[in-house]
mmCIF file of all heavy atoms in Angstrom:
data_model
loop_
_atom_site.group_PDB
_atom_site.id
_atom_site.type_symbol
_atom_site.label_atom_id
_atom_site.label_comp_id
_atom_site.label_asym_id
_atom_site.label_seq_id
_atom_site.Cartn_x
_atom_site.Cartn_y
_atom_site.Cartn_z
ATOM 1 N N LEU A 995 0.433 14.013 -0.903
ATOM 2 C CA LEU A 995 0.452 15.330 -0.265
ATOM 3 C C LEU A 995 1.295 16.316 -1.070
ATOM 4 O O LEU A 995 0.924 17.484 -1.241
ATOM 5 C CB LEU A 995 0.979 15.220 1.162
ATOM 6 C CG LEU A 995 0.072 14.473 2.143
ATOM 7 C CD1 LEU A 995 0.790 14.251 3.472
ATOM 8 C CD2 LEU A 995 -1.248 15.214 2.356
ATOM 9 N N HIS A 996 2.426 15.838 -1.588
ATOM 10 C CA HIS A 996 3.280 16.691 -2.416
ATOM 11 C C HIS A 996 2.534 17.132 -3.675
ATOM 12 O O HIS A 996 2.587 18.298 -4.077
ATOM 13 C CB HIS A 996 4.572 15.950 -2.782
ATOM 14 C CG HIS A 996 5.539 16.788 -3.531
ATOM 15 N ND1 HIS A 996 5.531 16.873 -4.908
ATOM 16 C CD2 HIS A 996 6.538 17.600 -3.099
ATOM 17 C CE1 HIS A 996 6.489 17.700 -5.291
ATOM 18 N NE2 HIS A 996 7.118 18.144 -4.217
ATOM 19 N N HIS A 997 1.822 16.202 -4.281
ATOM 20 C CA HIS A 997 1.040 16.522 -5.474
ATOM 21 C C HIS A 997 -0.012 17.586 -5.156
ATOM 22 O O HIS A 997 -0.210 18.537 -5.925
ATOM 23 C CB HIS A 997 0.374 15.255 -6.017
ATOM 24 C CG HIS A 997 -0.353 15.469 -7.306
ATOM 25 N ND1 HIS A 997 -1.544 16.144 -7.380
ATOM 26 C CD2 HIS A 997 -0.057 15.101 -8.575
ATOM 27 C CE1 HIS A 997 -1.965 16.182 -8.629
ATOM 28 N NE2 HIS A 997 -1.075 15.557 -9.374
ATOM 29 N N ARG A 998 -0.677 17.434 -4.020
ATOM 30 C CA ARG A 998 -1.659 18.446 -3.605
ATOM 31 C C ARG A 998 -0.973 19.790 -3.347
ATOM 32 O O ARG A 998 -1.542 20.840 -3.631
ATOM 33 C CB ARG A 998 -2.411 17.984 -2.373
ATOM 34 C CG ARG A 998 -3.466 16.946 -2.694
ATOM 35 C CD ARG A 998 -4.320 16.640 -1.502
ATOM 36 N NE ARG A 998 -5.458 15.820 -1.933
ATOM 37 C CZ ARG A 998 -6.324 15.273 -1.103
ATOM 38 N NH1 ARG A 998 -6.192 15.451 0.207
ATOM 39 N NH2 ARG A 998 -7.314 14.550 -1.561
ATOM 40 N N GLY A 999 0.231 19.736 -2.813
ATOM 41 C CA GLY A 999 0.990 20.968 -2.602
ATOM 42 C C GLY A 999 1.293 21.667 -3.912
ATOM 43 O O GLY A 999 1.170 22.891 -4.029
ATOM 44 N N GLU A 1000 1.684 20.883 -4.906
ATOM 45 C CA GLU A 1000 1.955 21.445 -6.238
ATOM 46 C C GLU A 1000 0.693 22.082 -6.817
ATOM 47 O O GLU A 1000 0.755 23.169 -7.407
ATOM 48 C CB GLU A 1000 2.473 20.357 -7.190
ATOM 49 C CG GLU A 1000 3.853 19.845 -6.861
ATOM 50 C CD GLU A 1000 4.954 20.827 -7.204
ATOM 51 O OE1 GLU A 1000 4.748 21.709 -8.071
ATOM 52 O OE2 GLU A 1000 6.026 20.738 -6.584
ATOM 53 N N ALA A 1001 -0.441 21.419 -6.645
ATOM 54 C CA ALA A 1001 -1.704 21.960 -7.154
ATOM 55 C C ALA A 1001 -2.062 23.261 -6.429
ATOM 56 O O ALA A 1001 -2.535 24.221 -7.061
ATOM 57 C CB ALA A 1001 -2.822 20.929 -6.991
ATOM 58 N N SER A 1002 -1.824 23.306 -5.131
ATOM 59 C CA SER A 1002 -2.093 24.538 -4.372
ATOM 60 C C SER A 1002 -1.181 25.672 -4.829
ATOM 61 O O SER A 1002 -1.617 26.825 -4.932
ATOM 62 C CB SER A 1002 -1.896 24.296 -2.876
ATOM 63 O OG SER A 1002 -2.880 23.430 -2.382
ATOM 64 N N LEU A 1003 0.058 25.325 -5.111
ATOM 65 C CA LEU A 1003 1.015 26.325 -5.587
ATOM 66 C C LEU A 1003 0.565 26.888 -6.935
ATOM 67 O O LEU A 1003 0.579 28.105 -7.152
ATOM 68 C CB LEU A 1003 2.404 25.690 -5.696
ATOM 69 C CG LEU A 1003 3.604 26.600 -5.691
ATOM 70 C CD1 LEU A 1003 3.630 27.471 -4.448
ATOM 71 C CD2 LEU A 1003 4.873 25.767 -5.771
ATOM 72 N N GLU A 1004 0.129 26.007 -7.827
ATOM 73 C CA GLU A 1004 -0.362 26.443 -9.140
ATOM 74 C C GLU A 1004 -1.605 27.310 -9.014
ATOM 75 O O GLU A 1004 -1.832 28.200 -9.827
ATOM 76 C CB GLU A 1004 -0.649 25.231 -10.034
ATOM 77 C CG GLU A 1004 0.592 24.542 -10.542
ATOM 78 C CD GLU A 1004 0.275 23.325 -11.411
ATOM 79 O OE1 GLU A 1004 -0.844 23.262 -11.972
ATOM 80 O OE2 GLU A 1004 1.147 22.456 -11.523
ATOM 81 N N ALA A 1005 -2.423 27.030 -7.986
ATOM 82 C CA ALA A 1005 -3.638 27.808 -7.771
ATOM 83 C C ALA A 1005 -3.341 29.127 -7.058
ATOM 84 O O ALA A 1005 -4.252 29.926 -6.832
ATOM 85 C CB ALA A 1005 -4.643 26.992 -6.968
ATOM 86 N N GLY A 1006 -2.069 29.339 -6.697
ATOM 87 C CA GLY A 1006 -1.685 30.585 -6.067
ATOM 88 C C GLY A 1006 -1.801 30.602 -4.553
ATOM 89 O O GLY A 1006 -1.637 31.639 -3.927
ATOM 90 N N ASP A 1007 -2.072 29.457 -3.959
ATOM 91 C CA ASP A 1007 -2.200 29.383 -2.499
ATOM 92 C C ASP A 1007 -0.893 28.861 -1.912
ATOM 93 O O ASP A 1007 -0.757 27.674 -1.592
ATOM 94 C CB ASP A 1007 -3.375 28.484 -2.120
ATOM 95 C CG ASP A 1007 -3.734 28.558 -0.643
ATOM 96 O OD1 ASP A 1007 -2.934 29.124 0.138
ATOM 97 O OD2 ASP A 1007 -4.806 28.039 -0.272
ATOM 98 N N GLU A 1008 0.070 29.758 -1.756
ATOM 99 C CA GLU A 1008 1.402 29.370 -1.290
ATOM 100 C C GLU A 1008 1.389 28.861 0.145
ATOM 101 O O GLU A 1008 2.139 27.938 0.480
ATOM 102 C CB GLU A 1008 2.370 30.541 -1.427
ATOM 103 C CG GLU A 1008 2.712 30.861 -2.864
ATOM 104 C CD GLU A 1008 3.738 31.971 -2.996
ATOM 105 O OE1 GLU A 1008 4.629 32.072 -2.130
ATOM 106 O OE2 GLU A 1008 3.625 32.726 -3.977
ATOM 107 N N GLU A 1009 0.543 29.425 0.979
ATOM 108 C CA GLU A 1009 0.476 29.002 2.381
ATOM 109 C C GLU A 1009 0.014 27.549 2.487
ATOM 110 O O GLU A 1009 0.618 26.749 3.216
ATOM 111 C CB GLU A 1009 -0.471 29.918 3.155
ATOM 112 C CG GLU A 1009 -0.446 29.683 4.644
ATOM 113 C CD GLU A 1009 -1.312 30.690 5.390
ATOM 114 O OE1 GLU A 1009 -1.298 31.884 5.028
ATOM 115 O OE2 GLU A 1009 -1.995 30.258 6.335
ATOM 116 N N ALA A 1010 -1.038 27.197 1.755
ATOM 117 C CA ALA A 1010 -1.529 25.820 1.760
ATOM 118 C C ALA A 1010 -0.482 24.879 1.163
ATOM 119 O O ALA A 1010 -0.268 23.774 1.675
ATOM 120 C CB ALA A 1010 -2.844 25.706 0.987
ATOM 121 N N ALA A 1011 0.186 25.342 0.099
ATOM 122 C CA ALA A 1011 1.214 24.518 -0.545
ATOM 123 C C ALA A 1011 2.335 24.210 0.433
ATOM 124 O O ALA A 1011 2.770 23.059 0.550
ATOM 125 C CB ALA A 1011 1.757 25.230 -1.783
ATOM 126 N N GLU A 1012 2.805 25.222 1.146
ATOM 127 C CA GLU A 1012 3.906 25.020 2.101
ATOM 128 C C GLU A 1012 3.495 24.054 3.215
ATOM 129 O O GLU A 1012 4.294 23.217 3.633
ATOM 130 C CB GLU A 1012 4.381 26.352 2.668
ATOM 131 C CG GLU A 1012 5.175 27.183 1.687
ATOM 132 C CD GLU A 1012 6.406 26.465 1.140
ATOM 133 O OE1 GLU A 1012 7.180 25.874 1.938
ATOM 134 O OE2 GLU A 1012 6.597 26.471 -0.090
ATOM 135 N N ALA A 1013 2.261 24.162 3.687
ATOM 136 C CA ALA A 1013 1.777 23.253 4.730
ATOM 137 C C ALA A 1013 1.737 21.817 4.211
ATOM 138 O O ALA A 1013 2.143 20.878 4.917
ATOM 139 C CB ALA A 1013 0.395 23.682 5.215
ATOM 140 N N LEU A 1014 1.284 21.631 2.983
ATOM 141 C CA LEU A 1014 1.244 20.292 2.390
ATOM 142 C C LEU A 1014 2.652 19.755 2.156
ATOM 143 O O LEU A 1014 2.916 18.575 2.392
ATOM 144 C CB LEU A 1014 0.429 20.309 1.092
ATOM 145 C CG LEU A 1014 -1.077 20.455 1.290
ATOM 146 C CD1 LEU A 1014 -1.758 20.915 0.001
ATOM 147 C CD2 LEU A 1014 -1.677 19.132 1.769
ATOM 148 N N PHE A 1015 3.550 20.602 1.683
ATOM 149 C CA PHE A 1015 4.937 20.178 1.483
ATOM 150 C C PHE A 1015 5.580 19.770 2.807
ATOM 151 O O PHE A 1015 6.307 18.777 2.886
ATOM 152 C CB PHE A 1015 5.760 21.278 0.811
ATOM 153 C CG PHE A 1015 5.398 21.548 -0.624
ATOM 154 C CD1 PHE A 1015 5.529 22.830 -1.147
ATOM 155 C CD2 PHE A 1015 4.937 20.542 -1.461
ATOM 156 C CE1 PHE A 1015 5.204 23.093 -2.473
ATOM 157 C CE2 PHE A 1015 4.611 20.798 -2.791
ATOM 158 C CZ PHE A 1015 4.746 22.081 -3.294
ATOM 159 N N ASP A 1016 5.310 20.540 3.857
ATOM 160 C CA ASP A 1016 5.861 20.200 5.176
ATOM 161 C C ASP A 1016 5.321 18.864 5.675
ATOM 162 O O ASP A 1016 6.068 18.056 6.236
ATOM 163 C CB ASP A 1016 5.545 21.305 6.194
ATOM 164 C CG ASP A 1016 6.355 22.567 5.966
ATOM 165 O OD1 ASP A 1016 7.370 22.516 5.230
ATOM 166 O OD2 ASP A 1016 5.961 23.620 6.521
ATOM 167 N N GLU A 1017 4.037 18.638 5.446
ATOM 168 C CA GLU A 1017 3.437 17.368 5.868
ATOM 169 C C GLU A 1017 4.018 16.203 5.058
ATOM 170 O O GLU A 1017 4.343 15.149 5.614
ATOM 171 C CB GLU A 1017 1.917 17.435 5.714
ATOM 172 C CG GLU A 1017 1.195 16.277 6.360
ATOM 173 C CD GLU A 1017 -0.311 16.395 6.289
ATOM 174 O OE1 GLU A 1017 -0.854 17.399 5.768
ATOM 175 O OE2 GLU A 1017 -0.979 15.430 6.745
ATOM 176 N N ALA A 1018 4.164 16.402 3.755
ATOM 177 C CA ALA A 1018 4.779 15.376 2.905
ATOM 178 C C ALA A 1018 6.184 15.069 3.395
ATOM 179 O O ALA A 1018 6.588 13.896 3.462
ATOM 180 C CB ALA A 1018 4.798 15.832 1.446
ATOM 181 N N ALA A 1019 6.924 16.102 3.745
ATOM 182 C CA ALA A 1019 8.297 15.927 4.216
ATOM 183 C C ALA A 1019 8.334 15.023 5.450
ATOM 184 O O ALA A 1019 9.211 14.158 5.562
ATOM 185 C CB ALA A 1019 8.924 17.290 4.534
ATOM 186 N N GLN A 1020 7.390 15.210 6.359
ATOM 187 C CA GLN A 1020 7.376 14.392 7.576
ATOM 188 C C GLN A 1020 7.173 12.909 7.254
ATOM 189 O O GLN A 1020 7.789 12.039 7.871
ATOM 190 C CB GLN A 1020 6.305 14.896 8.547
ATOM 191 C CG GLN A 1020 6.577 16.286 9.082
ATOM 192 C CD GLN A 1020 7.990 16.417 9.638
ATOM 193 O OE1 GLN A 1020 8.424 15.627 10.478
ATOM 194 N NE2 GLN A 1020 8.723 17.409 9.157
ATOM 195 N N TYR A 1021 6.322 12.611 6.284
ATOM 196 C CA TYR A 1021 6.114 11.212 5.888
ATOM 197 C C TYR A 1021 7.356 10.651 5.206
ATOM 198 O O TYR A 1021 7.737 9.507 5.448
ATOM 199 C CB TYR A 1021 4.881 11.075 4.988
ATOM 200 C CG TYR A 1021 3.601 11.107 5.772
ATOM 201 C CD1 TYR A 1021 2.865 12.282 5.914
ATOM 202 C CD2 TYR A 1021 3.126 9.957 6.408
ATOM 203 C CE1 TYR A 1021 1.698 12.305 6.647
ATOM 204 C CE2 TYR A 1021 1.956 9.969 7.137
ATOM 205 C CZ TYR A 1021 1.246 11.151 7.266
ATOM 206 O OH TYR A 1021 0.092 11.166 8.001
#
Side-chain angles (χ1 to χ4, degrees):
L995 292 172
H996 185 271
H997 185 287
R998 283 188 170 173
E1000 291 287 337
S1002 292
L1003 201 57
E1004 287 179 23
D1007 191 348
E1008 290 183 34
E1009 188 175 319
E1012 287 303 312
L1014 288 162
F1015 291 148
D1016 288 344
E1017 191 176 358
Q1020 295 309 307
Y1021 282 97

